Amino acid sequence: MELYSLDTKAHDEARQGEVLQSPNEGKNFDKFFLVESYGCAMNFADSEVVASILENNGYGATRDLEKADLILVNTCSVREKAEQTVRKRLTEFKKLKHAKPSLLVGILGCMAERLKSQLLEQEKLVDIVVGPDAYRTLPELIAEAGTGQKAVNVILSRDETYGDISPVRLDSNGISGFVSIMRGCNNMCSFCVVPFTRGRERSRDSFSIIAESRDLFERGYREITLLGQNVDSYYWNNPETNLSVTFAELLSSVAQISPLLRVRFSTSHPKDITDEVLYAIAKYPNICKYIHLPVQSGSTRILQLMNRTYTREWYLAKVDRIREIVPECSISADIIAGFCTETEQDHQDTMSIMEAAQYDYSYMYFYSERPGTLAAKRYVDDIPEAIKKRRLQEIVDVQWTLSNESNKRDVGKTFEVLVEGNSKKSELEWMGRNSQNKVIVFPKDAHSIKKGDYVMVHITGYTKGTLLGVLKTN
Ligand code: SAM
Ligand code: SF4
Ligand code: F3S
């Protein structure tokens, strides 16, 4: 799941192989680790937990391969391509061990969980294997691997949330940060490997979520994204008071930290997003008017095979409800082309639901069968790759038109923009986002603005995926 791209291109996997900088890089450590992360925002947030555990155990983060004593690859299993990319990387890292035999290579995350000890015992690609719920044991596993033992821990937990660990913010712009509010998923969408790699759903103590969010705000952060595979089913029961906290309540509490702190969240399963959540979004100006609402398919028959538990009509009624309660809300989706038995008519239904829902943008994939999932067990992956790709391209084209129209409607409007930094193309321009999560670029001119400021920007035009504007000074 890629959270912040406005691109309407198809994604093979979300983010690929990023080595991020620790704010503590350059401090005095005896040993160094490098963590390369793939996959969804939750995996990137986990790398920050891992960095915290390692820095507390004497390992400093580095982005320099030659300096690293330990290379960790935090992996994604959501599509086959994601796993192939990681295997290639692990083969390259194995070669580095010839030049530096003391180097340890470890695999973390969903691929570690899915393949368990296979990459260590059979394929001999790594020294350490750690599943998503076992990161606290990393220091012991590193010590074991250092003495040549097999270091594997892929035990999934029913209660681990890493709630007490203060993540080291890797590669942060100092303005936007992720806060994990839950782990795992109980939904069992038939195409999806996540319930198997991340285990049962569990919610994190709301006090630690609010404390972490407040701490970020006090350190200058101005936007946090509450993360979970299915945030709307967040539910935490306080054992002391026996009072429970729902997602709507959590969202409201985080919004009350400061009106200057923007709050985002991802991902919402359509079946779980309640009116209470929508009313909270409408009530607090600092809860962003943007909902990522994956649809996956526009055909009720395919949705049933996917075990998504809603129909086309039910989904569209939810979209109407969002627009009724939060009229200025932007909506994006995840879409899968070419799921098992998908006909041309099912495919047309997907394109027509995109038009009906008027997505501002989408993340689009073609179906990739994952071993062990319900779909792999029950259905035949019977759509030829060429057809999957053609349908995906048609879906991308529809989204391209919708995104263009959405941007065109914004020309002439004025938005509040949180300034995140220089634009990608020029140091003479600022880049930021509006509440609807659209990227907005505008000239710096002579105004004294800095990162983290809120400014009003008048939209004058757009390019692919970006709104262009000018600062409104009065
Ligand atoms: N929890 C989120 C939800 O329910 O929408 C999304 C999690 S998943 C990691 C991100 C997206 O990857 C899914 O929404 C789906 O579109 C896509 N995806 C998951 N499994 C896939 C598969 N086997 N083949 C292609 N795309 C897949
Ligand atoms: Fe996967 Fe469905 Fe859970 Fe999302 S809700 S992580 S798609 S099983
Ligand atoms: Fe990938 Fe695991 Fe996230 S499979 S998308 S890294 S939960």
Side-chain angles (χ1 to χ4, degrees):
M1 175 186 55
E2 192 168 331
L3 286 163
Y4 285 140
S5 167
L6 287 177
D7 285 354
T8 52
K9 63 182 186 318
H11 290 268
D12 271 321
E13 52 263 17
R15 292 168 68 178
Q16 291 197 38
E18 293 174 41
V19 180
L20 307 177
Q21 184 179 19
S22 164
N24 301 325
E25 196 163 323
K27 290 200 181 147
N28 263 344
F29 287 101
D30 297 334
K31 295 209 158 204
F32 292 92
F33 73 96
L34 175 148
V35 60
E36 190 168 293
S37 307
Y38 295 77
C40 63
M42 271 150 279
N43 238 21
F44 279 71
D46 278 1
S47 291
E48 299 187 335
V49 167
V50 166
S52 173
I53 293 169
L54 291 180
E55 288 191 359
N56 285 330
N57 281 275
Y59 273 83
T62 179
R63 285 168 299 156
D64 181 353
L65 264 182
E66 291 191 357
K67 196 171 163 190
D69 305 288
L70 168 68
I71 297 174
L72 296 171
V73 189
N74 196 358
T75 59
C76 174
S77 287
V78 78
R79 284 166 286 276
E80 195 185 348
K81 179 86 188 307
E83 290 200 355
Q84 282 167 357
T85 313
V86 166
R87 270 176 198 284
K88 262 195 223 141
R89 268 318 257 169
L90 292 176
T91 313
E92 285 163 25
F93 291 146
K94 194 178 171 184
K95 286 186 199 140
L96 293 179
K97 282 171 71 89
H98 294 306
K100 187 176 177 181
S102 65
L103 175 70
L104 294 176
V105 178
I107 180 166
L108 314 176
C110 292
M111 216 174 143
E113 191 62 49
R114 195 180 83 71
L115 298 172
K116 314 234 179 306
S117 57
Q118 183 183 318
L119 292 168
L120 190 153
E121 290 183 357
Q122 280 102 295
E123 303 187 37
K124 307 214 181 315
L125 279 173
V126 296
D127 308 293
I128 304 170
V129 179
V130 198
D133 287 346
Y135 297 144
R136 285 182 203 269
T137 63
L138 254 167
E140 294 93 76
L141 293 168
I142 295 166
E144 279 170 25
T147 62
Q149 297 172 69
K150 286 174 190 160
V152 181
N153 187 350
V154 289
I155 297 171
L156 285 172
S157 157
R158 278 182 176 263
D159 45 32
E160 178 62 272
T161 60
Y162 301 111
D164 57 322
I165 293 181
S166 179
V168 172
R169 305 290 161 183
L170 297 174
D171 225 23
S172 170
N173 60 2
I175 304 298
S176 314
F178 291 133
V179 177
S180 284
I181 64 165
M182 59 206 297
R183 298 182 73 80
C185 182
N186 286 355
N187 278 331
M188 301 304 272
C189 301
S190 65
F191 51 78
C192 185
V193 79
V194 173
F196 304 95
T197 60
R198 295 267 166 174
R200 305 293 292 169
E201 181 184 292
R202 68 220 91 125
S203 295
R204 177 179 169 190
D205 162 0
S206 67
F207 293 116
S208 73
I209 296 171
I210 294 164
E212 186 178 324
S213 306
R214 182 171 287 121
D215 174 59
L216 284 172
F217 178 71
E218 283 164 2
R219 285 161 49 198
Y221 283 74
R222 290 294 172 264
E223 180 181 82
I224 59 159
T225 304
L226 304 176
L227 288 181
Q229 292 296 355
N230 187 13
V231 287
D232 300 271
S233 67
Y234 175 88
Y235 188 82
W236 184 71
N237 200 52
N238 183 343
E240 280 161 32
T241 59
N242 209 19
L243 288 177
S244 52
V245 182
T246 64
F247 182 58
E249 289 160 348
L250 179 75
L251 199 54
S252 306
S253 303
V254 177
Q256 285 168 42
I257 290 173
S258 167
L260 289 178
L261 179 68
R262 272 188 174 176
V263 188
R264 298 188 184 278
F265 56 91
S266 187
T267 297
S268 292
H269 192 299
K271 77 175 163 56
D272 292 313
I273 188 160
T274 58
D275 277 3
E276 285 69 38
V277 170
L278 300 179
Y279 286 125
I281 300 172
K283 178 174 172 187
Y284 294 95
N286 57 329
I287 301 182
C288 290
K289 309 301 180 240
Y290 165 54
I291 298 176
H292 183 56
L293 197 72
V295 65
Q296 314 299 358
S297 168
S299 151
T300 295
R301 187 184 71 83
I302 294 291
L303 287 169
Q304 270 167 357
L305 295 182
M306 288 177 162
N307 201 22
R308 288 292 288 184
T309 71
Y310 51 82
T311 62
R312 174 189 175 92
E313 290 70 29
W314 193 94
Y315 181 94
L316 285 174
K318 187 58 85 178
V319 169
D320 286 346
R321 191 74 179 141
I322 293 172
R323 303 231 188 266
E324 193 183 321
I325 299 176
V326 195
E328 72 277 39
C329 197
S330 67
I331 302 179
S332 63
D334 288 349
I335 299 170
I336 299 178
F339 187 66
C340 314
T341 77
E342 186 185 75
T343 62
E344 286 303 323
Q345 183 55 51
D346 295 321
H347 170 56
Q348 293 297 329
D349 290 348
T350 295
M351 294 195 290
S352 70
I353 206 171
M354 294 171 72
E355 307 260 3
Q358 290 279 305
Y359 297 124
D360 295 280
Y361 36 101
S362 292
Y363 303 98
M364 299 154 282
Y365 317 93
F366 65 80
Y367 175 58
S368 163
E369 186 179 81
R370 307 311 294 131
T373 55
L374 294 182
K377 286 183 195 153
R378 287 184 192 160
Y379 315 125
V380 180
D381 180 14
D382 57 353
I383 308 299
E385 188 157 312
I387 295 182
K388 285 181 184 174
K389 287 189 170 163
R390 191 255 302 154
R391 289 182 186 166
L392 177 61
Q393 188 54 51
E394 288 173 5
I395 286 169
V396 169
D397 292 344
V398 171
Q399 187 54 52
W400 171 232
T401 307
L402 291 175
S403 298
N404 236 20
E405 286 166 359
S406 162
N407 286 346
K408 202 170 172 181
R409 284 193 295 274
D410 286 338
V411 175
K413 292 184 188 166
T414 299
F415 292 108
E416 184 180 65
V417 173
L418 172 61
V419 179
E420 291 178 26
N422 289 336
S423 89
K424 269 190 203 152
K425 288 196 185 137
S426 163
E427 291 199 352
L428 301 174
E429 289 172 340
W430 287 118
M431 168 270 171
R433 276 165 223 272
N434 63 5
S435 176
Q436 287 76 6
N437 205 30
K438 288 196 178 178
V439 173
I440 298 182
V441 166
F442 58 97
K444 289 187 176 177
D445 295 335
H447 308 289
S448 59
I449 291 171
K450 54 185 187 323
K451 255 179 21 173
D453 284 350
Y454 287 100
V455 292
M456 298 307 287
V457 178
H458 182 73
I459 305 304
T460 51
Y462 58 94
T463 61
K464 191 181 178 218
T466 308
L467 295 176
L468 309 173
V470 288
L471 202 67
K472 211 167 170 194
T473 44
N474 51 14

